């Protein structure tokens, strides 16, 4: 997955978690706000009941002493309203609207033969009966002693208790809300901490390592361009110097020297040409031909034939052993380039006395291995790590080279789905190319 | 002394060794030339020649194992030599390379490769 997508996914995930916590907090707050409104209504209504009980008793008493018709009518209206209000309130409190606050404790207080529900209903009934009797019989009706007695001594206390209960229930809910809010904030902080540890810190580290590896590549490229400019320039400068010498020798009529010098110029130019080809090969590895069936024995023979004209090749004893004879599906041009590089290296760096190069082709468990061994100086342990690096040359005194051969060969081998490895020998070096026998990647 | 009699040439490129040797011989017909492939070989050679040291060292910079800067750090820096005269002969025109070598008392000149007859005239002037 590309870095940008990964970063975006992680950040979106982190922000979503924080958003979820915030939305959760918002819901809890909304719920609590609506509860507060309900609780306010409830406490207010319960308080009204307490007030109404006293008001009904008072108005009833007032009615019995009212002597003028219009003041009596006013009291009747007020009493009728108060009784209706008390009944409506009671129905709301005990009906569905007040159900949310009816805890077991409050329910128990309402229920039962001595419960508040019964008491309020009885009270309202007494009040209604008194009012009806009064309206029917006028002043001769029975004095509302019972009503005043109930209001003052039986109902006031429980109604008062009820208000306290509703209030303490609301306070308890508020305390629970406070704890819940604290818990939400804690959860939010824990989420942020987890995100810092599990999302942001790894991302910072990831970005850091990415930047570092880009810097490493950048440095390698800078080193590469520096080396290239030196390695391209040096043979041109030498050739220029040698052309001057050749002209000088011709002026002196020293044809032999001129000839020899021009030979060196030619060699330098051939080396430069090889370097340029290698650089081009490094630069455009993407263009590739189609894979084809390659006969490894034939390919090795071709490579050996081409290299037989190399300086020093004639005195090297070549041994080729091909055990795997089945053709391999691979890219011929690339494999040819790898083998030519390995065999020419082996010829260049093999032993000075009784030089020998062994080439073996084997197949084992679906992997074809072409091994090229020489009996030369080998690679010193301190140089092995850099062996496949760009422009790494360890034995300049032994033979010329571009420093790109092994770098390029390993890249090619990996592009073919295989690899190129080095193993030290008691005397000399072994390089083996591995390829998937089933075909190139 | 009007010309160096013995020159140590520290150079890893065979072609440049050839060019320089050819021009030195032509310019100073009796000169004795000792060549070293790199700084390390040169230090060994200088030790071996302690009884009859060279009059001039021609030094390349870009060399394997021990490059020109490392050679100067050892020969001039650690061992404290100010003679013989060292003349740089490198393909590098980088100011860093020129500046680094100019910091040593023994280093008298910086030439860009390849060796030319004019360079040798300048060196002649140093030996007047």
């Amino acid at each position: 997955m590309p870095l940008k997508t990964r970063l975006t996914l992680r950040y979106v995930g982190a922000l979503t978690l924080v958003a979820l916590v915030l939305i959760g907090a918002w819901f809890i707050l909304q719920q609590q706000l609506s509860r507060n409104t309900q609780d306010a209504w409830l406490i207010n209504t319960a308080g009204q009941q307490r007030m109404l009980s006293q008001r009904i008793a008072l108005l009833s008493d007032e009615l019995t002493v009212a002597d003028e018709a219009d003041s009596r009518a006013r009291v009747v209206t007020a009493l009728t309203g108060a009784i209706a209000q008390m009944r409506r309130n009671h129905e709301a409190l005990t009906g569905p609207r007040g159900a949310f606050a009816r805890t077991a404790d409050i329910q128990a207080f309402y229920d039962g033969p001595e419960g508040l529900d019964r008491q309020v209903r009885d009270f309202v009934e007494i009040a209604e009966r008194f009012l009806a009797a009064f309206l029917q019989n006028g002043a001769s009706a029975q004095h509302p002693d019972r009503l005043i007695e109930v209001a003052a001594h039986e109902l006031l206390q429980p109604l008062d208790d009820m208000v306290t209960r509703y209030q303490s229930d609301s306070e308890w809910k508020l305390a629970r809300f406070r704890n819940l809010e604290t818990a939400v904030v804690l959860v939010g902080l824990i989420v942020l901490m987890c995100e810092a540890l599990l999302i942001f810190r790894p991302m910072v580290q990831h970005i850091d390592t990415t930047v570092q590896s880009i810097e490493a590549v950048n440095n390698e490229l800078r080193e590469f361009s520096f080396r290239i400019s030196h390695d391209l320039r040096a043979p041109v400068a030498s050739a220029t110097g040698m052309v001057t010498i050749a002209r000088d020798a011709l002026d002196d009529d020293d044809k032999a020297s001129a000839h020899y010098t021009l030979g060196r110029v030619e060699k330098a130019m051939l080396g430069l040409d090889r370097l340029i080809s290698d650089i081009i090969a490094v630069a455009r590895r993407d263009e590739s031909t189609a894979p084809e069936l390659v006969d490894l024995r034939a390919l090795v023979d071709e490579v050996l034939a081409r290299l037989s004209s190399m300086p020093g090749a004639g005195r090297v004893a070549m041994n080729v052993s091909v055990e795997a004879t089945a053709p391999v599906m691979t890219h011929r041009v690339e494999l040819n380039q790898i083998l030519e590089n390995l065999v020419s290296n082996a010829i260049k760096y093999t032993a000075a006395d009784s030089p020998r190069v062994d080439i073996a082709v084997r197949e084992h468990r679906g992997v074809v291995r072409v091994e090229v061994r020489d009996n030369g100086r080998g690679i010193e342990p301190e140089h092995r790590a850099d062996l496949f690096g760009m422009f790494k040359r360890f034995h300049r005194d032994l033979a010329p080279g571009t420093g790109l051969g092994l770098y390029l060969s390993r890249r090619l081998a990996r592009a073919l789905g295989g690899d190129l490895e080095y193993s030290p020998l008691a005397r000399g070096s072994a390089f083996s190319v591995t390829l998937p026998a089933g075909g190139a990647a | 002394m009007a010309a160096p009699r013995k020159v140590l040439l520290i150079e890893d490129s065979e072609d440049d060794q050839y060019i320089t040797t050819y021009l030195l011989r032509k310019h100073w017909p009796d000169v004795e030339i000792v060549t070293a492939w790199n700084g390390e070989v040169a230090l060994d050679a200088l030790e071996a020649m302690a009884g009859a040291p060279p009059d001039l060292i021609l030094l390349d910079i870009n060399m394997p194992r021990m490059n020109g800067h490392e050679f100067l750090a050892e020969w001039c820096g650690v061992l404290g030599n100010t003679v013989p005269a060292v003349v740089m002969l490198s393909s590098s025109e980088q100011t860093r390379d020129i500046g680094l070598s100019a910091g040593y008392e023994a280093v008298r000149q910086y030439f860009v490769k390849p060796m030319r007859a004019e360079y040798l005239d300048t060196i002649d002037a140093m030996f007047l």
Side-chain angles (χ1 to χ4, degrees):
Chain A
M1 213 192 298
L3 181 64
K4 192 182 166 190
T5 319
R6 255 162 49 200
L7 275 177
T8 311
L9 278 180
R10 283 190 177 223
Y11 286 139
V12 165
L15 293 176
T16 307
L17 277 177
V18 173
L20 284 177
V21 172
L22 282 176
I23 290 170
W26 182 80
F27 268 115
I28 291 168
L29 187 66
Q30 288 303 310
Q31 211 181 5
Q32 182 59 33
L33 282 176
S34 83
R35 267 192 202 139
N36 273 11
T37 318
Q38 287 177 316
D39 283 351
W41 168 79
L42 198 69
I43 293 163
N44 182 40
T45 309
Q48 260 184 28
Q49 294 295 78
R50 188 175 54 187
M51 181 274 289
L52 284 168
S53 70
Q54 302 309 299
R55 188 171 161 78
I56 287 167
L58 190 71
L59 286 170
S60 308
D61 186 46
E62 228 175 89
L63 202 56
T64 55
V65 294
D67 38 15
E68 282 169 40
D70 62 331
S71 76
R72 196 176 293 168
R74 188 178 47 77
V75 175
V76 165
T77 311
L79 183 60
T80 312
I83 293 171
Q85 178 72 41
M86 191 167 183
R87 181 180 281 284
R88 271 204 308 280
N89 281 357
H90 186 69
E91 269 157 16
L93 286 174
T94 53
R97 191 169 173 199
F100 70 91
R102 230 168 287 132
T103 59
D105 178 44
I106 288 172
Q107 187 70 53
F109 202 68
Y110 272 122
D111 292 347
E114 297 295 305
L116 187 63
D117 182 38
R118 189 73 263 151
Q119 279 182 292
V120 172
R121 281 178 200 284
D122 287 351
F123 177 77
V124 171
E125 243 167 68
I126 296 168
E128 280 171 342
R129 270 207 308 274
F130 162 73
L131 185 61
F134 184 85
L135 289 175
Q136 204 168 35
N137 306 326
S140 65
Q142 202 188 354
H143 189 269
D145 297 322
R146 176 65 192 148
L147 193 64
I148 292 164
E149 163 85 12
V150 171
H153 300 294
E154 291 171 28
L155 202 54
L156 184 60
Q157 190 57 44
L159 280 176
D160 203 37
D161 285 352
M162 201 49 151
V163 174
T164 315
R165 265 160 224 257
Y166 278 133
Q167 199 164 357
S168 65
D169 179 53
S170 168
E171 275 161 9
W172 177 80
K173 277 192 258 177
L174 206 61
R176 198 187 53 176
F177 168 69
R178 251 188 223 115
N179 290 340
L180 201 59
E181 277 300 295
T182 311
V184 167
V185 169
L186 279 178
V187 166
L189 289 176
I190 289 168
V191 164
L192 284 178
M193 207 168 74
C194 291
E195 287 182 352
L197 285 175
L198 301 174
I199 297 178
F200 293 104
R201 198 171 65 163
M203 281 329 275
V204 166
Q205 281 166 350
H206 185 78
I207 293 170
D208 190 45
T209 45
T210 308
V211 168
Q212 274 175 14
S213 72
I214 290 170
E215 274 169 4
V217 169
N218 207 14
N219 285 340
E220 197 186 318
L221 279 176
R222 201 176 301 138
E223 170 85 351
F224 176 72
S225 64
F226 175 75
R227 296 286 329 185
I228 268 189
S229 60
H230 173 266
D231 287 9
L232 285 175
R233 197 166 174 177
V236 174
S238 306
T240 316
M242 288 190 289
V243 168
T244 314
I245 290 176
R247 191 182 291 132
D248 189 75
L250 283 177
D251 288 346
D252 291 352
D253 237 358
D254 184 357
K255 269 177 113 177
S257 271
H259 211 269
Y260 174 77
T261 310
L262 287 175
R264 291 196 83 114
V265 172
E266 189 182 20
K267 227 176 91 187
M269 289 299 104
L270 287 175
L272 184 60
D273 186 50
R274 225 173 13 250
L275 174 62
I276 292 170
S277 311
D278 280 358
I279 292 169
I280 290 170
V282 167
R284 49 150 205 231
R285 238 307 300 155
D286 322 325
E287 305 165 24
S288 186
T289 50
E292 58 188 296
L293 278 175
V294 178
D295 180 342
L296 291 179
R297 173 176 281 278
L299 187 66
V300 169
D301 287 345
E302 274 172 45
V303 168
L304 288 180
R306 226 181 352 265
L307 294 177
S308 63
S309 58
M310 214 180 122
R315 54 188 194 89
V316 178
M318 290 283 179
N319 300 286
V320 181
S321 100
V322 180
E323 285 172 27
T325 50
V328 176
M329 194 65 169
T330 191
H331 296 270
R332 183 189 180 82
V333 177
E334 281 86 345
L335 184 57
N336 177 69
Q337 206 170 346
I338 299 169
L339 292 183
E340 206 170 294
N341 180 258
L342 293 182
V343 176
S344 70
N345 274 354
I347 293 171
K348 279 199 279 190
Y349 299 107
T350 197
D353 54 322
S354 60
R356 173 190 169 99
V357 172
D358 297 285
I359 302 168
V361 182
R362 283 191 297 270
E363 190 190 328
H364 182 62
R365 292 188 179 180
V367 175
V368 176
R369 180 182 292 270
V370 183
E371 191 182 57
V372 180
R373 288 166 172 248
D374 64 65
N375 61 349
R377 199 195 278 185
I379 309 290
E380 289 83 352
E382 68 266 29
H383 291 143
R384 285 174 197 162
D386 286 337
L387 191 54
F388 295 99
M390 265 191 197
F391 293 115
K392 298 297 179 191
R393 299 216 49 220
F394 309 120
H395 299 143
R396 280 168 205 249
D397 50 335
L398 286 183
T402 62
L404 285 172
L406 286 176
Y407 168 79
L408 190 60
S409 298
R410 174 173 263 186
R411 272 186 53 169
L412 290 173
R414 289 183 175 170
L416 296 179
D419 206 348
L420 173 60
E421 279 149 17
Y422 164 77
S423 34
L425 300 175
R427 189 162 175 237
S429 301
F431 286 89
S432 29
V433 200
T434 48
L435 296 168
Chain B
M1 183 174 67
R5 280 175 303 237
K6 191 171 184 179
V7 175
L8 172 62
L9 171 61
I10 312 173
E11 169 63 72
D12 66 319
S13 152
E14 233 179 302
D15 287 334
D16 285 311
Q17 281 185 11
Y18 171 72
I19 298 165
T20 308
T21 312
Y22 182 95
L23 290 174
L24 289 182
R25 290 240 160 83
K26 192 159 165 97
H27 200 80
W28 302 308
D30 301 324
V31 76
E32 182 189 345
I33 301 168
V34 179
T35 49
W37 287 93
N38 58 47
E40 213 173 75
V41 179
L43 287 174
D44 290 343
L46 283 164
E47 207 182 314
M49 292 189 283
D55 311 309
L56 176 69
I57 295 175
L58 289 172
L59 178 62
D60 183 21
I61 291 176
N62 222 304
M63 292 179 293
R65 271 171 206 278
M66 185 187 268
N67 67 28
H69 295 311
E70 290 162 343
F71 170 81
L72 286 175
E74 180 68 22
W75 176 249
C76 301
V78 178
L79 300 174
N81 289 297
T82 53
V83 286
V86 176
V87 169
M88 306 301 294
L89 184 61
S90 164
S91 59
S92 163
E93 281 180 280
Q94 298 216 332
T95 45
R96 183 183 159 270
D97 284 329
I98 299 171
L100 262 179
S101 50
Y104 297 98
E105 198 189 328
V107 177
R108 310 279 290 274
Q109 276 291 347
Y110 191 104
F111 291 133
V112 175
K113 275 187 200 173
M115 179 55 101
R116 300 165 205 270
E118 305 92 86
Y119 293 167
L120 296 174
D121 293 336
T122 313
I123 294 172
D124 272 335
M126 278 166 42
F127 281 89
L128 278 178

